[in-house]
């Protein structure tokens, strides 16, 4: 991933994890905990694509596995978010911009249910039964409700911040080696500096020719 993507992803994942552990997990809600980390991975994957989404998901899940008070096997949630990030990147909107709320909300529903099922399945494989007393049905329902309520306030904001890094002129210059202003204007308007300068030269030449013609006409009179 490029540097701007990496820095923004790390910052947003750390903030989401801190909020989830220190605030959301302390609300004592029935069933599951609102998964802000999952929604953060979804928002970034919608803009950055499947490869970056899987890397971000793996890193975010690994931090969640190691952050206290984690009570499950290390690497379990890293695998879950890695898969979710990759799949979310495959269905990302065109140019990372939302045209309707249906597709991202459908992705949130699939991610909430899929992550809970995958987490439970991996736990069964490794013998981790810490959440068995809650019940899978209750976890699925509460995870879906909490994530759907939280998604409209988080996913669009995360995607907007991620798109700003994609249009960063410094990243265009470092990745392509082109002029910073040229990359900035090209990304925003679709025009090239060279064509703009050529058009300005032709326009200036036409103006000088027209002005010379008017002067000669006045002299003849």
């Amino acid at each position: 991933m490029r540097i701007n993507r990496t820095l923004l992803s790390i910052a947003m994942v750390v903030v989401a994890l801190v909020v989830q552990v220190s605030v959301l997990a302390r609300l004592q809600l029935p069933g599951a905990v609102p998964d802000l980390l999952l929604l953060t991975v979804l928002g970034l994957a919608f803009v950055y694509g499947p490869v970056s989404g899987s890397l971000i998901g793996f890193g975010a899940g690994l931090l969640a596995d190691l952050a206290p008070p984690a009570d499950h096997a290390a690497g379990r949630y890293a695998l879950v978010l890695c898969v979710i990030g990759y799949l979310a990147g495959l269905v990302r909107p065109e140019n990372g911009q939302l045209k309707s709320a249906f597709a991202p909300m459908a992705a949130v529903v699939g991610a909430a249910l899929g992550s809970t099922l995958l987490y439970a399945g991996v736990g069964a494989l490794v013998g981790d039964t810490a959440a068995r007393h809650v019940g899978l049905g209750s976890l699925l329902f509460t995870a879906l409700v909490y994530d759907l309520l939280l998604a409209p306030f988080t996913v669009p904001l995360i995607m907007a911040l991620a798109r700003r890094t994609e249009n960063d002129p410094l990243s265009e210059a470092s990745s392509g080696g082109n002029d910073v202003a040229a990359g900035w204007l090209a990304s925003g308007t679709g025009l090239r500096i060279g064509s703009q300068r050529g058009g300005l030269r032709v326009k200036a030449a036409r103006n000088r020719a027209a002005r010379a013609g008017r002067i000669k006409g006045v002299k003849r009179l």
Side-chain angles (χ1 to χ4, degrees):
M1 292 189 296
R2 292 181 294 185
I3 295 178
N4 54 350
R5 286 188 181 187
T6 304
L7 293 178
L8 178 66
S9 301
I10 292 174
M12 299 192 74
V13 165
V14 170
V15 170
L17 181 61
V18 170
V19 173
Q20 182 166 321
V21 172
S22 61
V23 178
L24 298 179
R26 298 176 182 272
L27 296 179
Q28 302 297 325
L29 297 174
V33 175
D35 201 339
L36 181 60
L37 201 60
L38 172 66
L39 298 178
T40 301
V41 171
L42 285 178
L44 294 173
F46 284 156
V47 178
Y48 295 152
V51 176
S52 296
S54 62
L55 293 176
I56 294 170
F58 180 81
L62 190 59
L63 285 178
D65 289 332
L66 301 177
D71 58 353
H72 55 267
R76 182 176 172 185
Y77 202 46
L79 174 62
V80 172
L81 287 188
C82 180
V83 174
I84 295 297
Y86 181 80
L87 296 178
L90 292 178
V91 298
R92 65 173 176 170
E94 184 179 359
N95 297 326
Q97 296 183 355
L98 296 177
K99 295 183 179 179
S100 67
F102 176 77
M105 294 305 288
V108 170
V109 171
L113 298 178
S115 62
T116 304
L117 291 173
L118 185 57
Y119 185 82
V122 175
L125 290 177
V126 299
D128 188 351
T129 59
R132 178 177 292 180
H133 65 280
V134 180
L136 183 59
S138 176
L139 283 177
L140 286 172
F141 177 75
T142 53
L144 178 60
V145 171
Y146 297 154
D147 291 347
L148 281 178
L149 291 176
L150 191 59
F153 304 100
T154 56
V155 175
L157 176 61
I158 293 169
M159 293 182 65
L161 293 174
R163 285 197 302 269
R164 288 179 65 88
T165 63
E166 292 296 275
N167 296 326
D168 188 356
L170 294 178
S171 66
E172 296 291 336
S174 60
S175 61
N178 297 326
D179 181 68
V180 172
W184 193 357
L185 291 176
S187 62
T189 63
L191 300 177
R192 295 182 178 179
I193 296 296
S195 61
Q196 288 179 338
R197 290 175 178 172
L200 290 175
R201 291 194 187 100
V202 172
K203 187 175 181 180
R206 289 177 180 174
N207 290 335
R208 287 196 297 269
R211 197 159 46 244
R214 288 196 299 269
I215 293 173
K216 289 180 180 179
V218 172
K219 288 182 178 179
R220 288 174 183 174
L221 293 176

